[in-house]
Amino acid sequence: MWGRAGRDGTAARRGGSEPMAENTTQSNGQRGTTTIADAVVAKTAGIAAREVRGVHALGGTASQMMGAVRKRVGASEDVTQGVSVEVGQTQTAIDLSIVVDYGEAIHKVAQSVRNNVIQAVERTTGLEVVEVNITVTDVYLEGSDEDDDTDKSPSSGRNLG
C-alpha cells in the first residue's frame, strides 16, 4: 500500500533503542503519547465513505456476501468492510473498495469519497492522510436484488444461483 519506505520520514525510537508502535501519535510538549488503533482509522474512513451520495456499499463481492450473511443472522454491520489502513506515527494511508450507484459519475463519486475520508480522518485523529486509494468493484443497478439467489445475469458471465 505505501509504495515508499517510511511515510513518516524517520524511524522514531523511544530511548534510542526500542522502536515506537506504528500507530502511536506523539504530541510535542505533552507528557505521554496518544495511540490511535488501526481500527479507529478504518471505522472513521468507512463511515465517511458511506456518507457520500452515490456510494451504494463498501467492499468487493466476497465481503458483500459476508455482510449479507451477517445481516441475515442479525449481527451488526461491519463499518470497516472494504476498508484497509496502514497507520504510522503521524500519517496514514487508506485503501477503499466501493460499489457505486448506476448513473453516478464514478470519478466524481470517488473524488468526493476521497475528500470526505481525508477530512474526517484528519479532523478526528490528527493524522495526516497521505493517500486514499479507491477501487470501484461494481455498479449497483436500482431494482436489482443482490440477495436474490435466482439472479443469473448474462452480462456478469457467472451463475449466481
Side-chain angles (χ1 to χ4, degrees):
M1 177 191 303
W2 288 98
R4 303 179 215 98
R7 294 269 176 172
D8 295 330
T10 61
R13 297 188 178 272
R14 199 178 302 173
S17 62
E18 292 181 13
M20 294 185 68
E22 260 192 303
N23 58 350
T24 301
T25 302
Q26 284 191 329
S27 301
N28 293 333
Q30 301 283 330
R31 297 181 189 176
T33 59
T34 302
T35 302
I36 300 172
D38 293 7
V40 172
V41 175
K43 283 182 180 182
T44 303
I47 292 167
R50 284 176 174 81
E51 292 173 345
V52 175
R53 179 176 176 224
V55 174
H56 179 74
L58 265 64
T61 305
S63 61
Q64 287 177 10
M65 285 192 299
M66 288 303 295
V69 169
R70 263 192 307 278
K71 187 185 261 185
R72 283 184 180 163
V73 297
S76 62
E77 182 180 1
D78 180 11
V79 295
T80 62
Q81 177 179 306
V83 182
S84 175
V85 301
E86 287 189 25
V87 180
Q89 294 172 9
T90 60
Q91 298 175 317
T92 187
I94 302 166
D95 288 340
L96 299 169
S97 296
I98 66 173
V99 176
V100 176
D101 289 326
Y102 177 77
E104 298 288 338
I106 294 172
H107 65 286
K108 289 181 180 179
V109 171
Q111 190 58 48
S112 294
V113 167
R114 185 173 287 110
N115 293 340
N116 205 42
V117 167
I118 289 170
Q119 182 182 29
V121 171
E122 288 184 346
R123 184 188 68 223
T124 61
T125 66
L127 295 169
E128 176 190 6
V129 178
V130 294
E131 65 185 12
V132 176
N133 300 309
I134 299 172
T135 301
V136 179
T137 60
D138 202 356
V139 174
Y140 175 76
L141 300 172
E142 185 67 39
S144 69
D145 187 358
E146 294 174 334
D147 296 331
D148 185 1
D149 291 341
T150 61
D151 183 12
K152 296 177 180 151
S153 174
S155 64
S156 70
R158 59 190 168 139
N159 183 347
L160 301 175

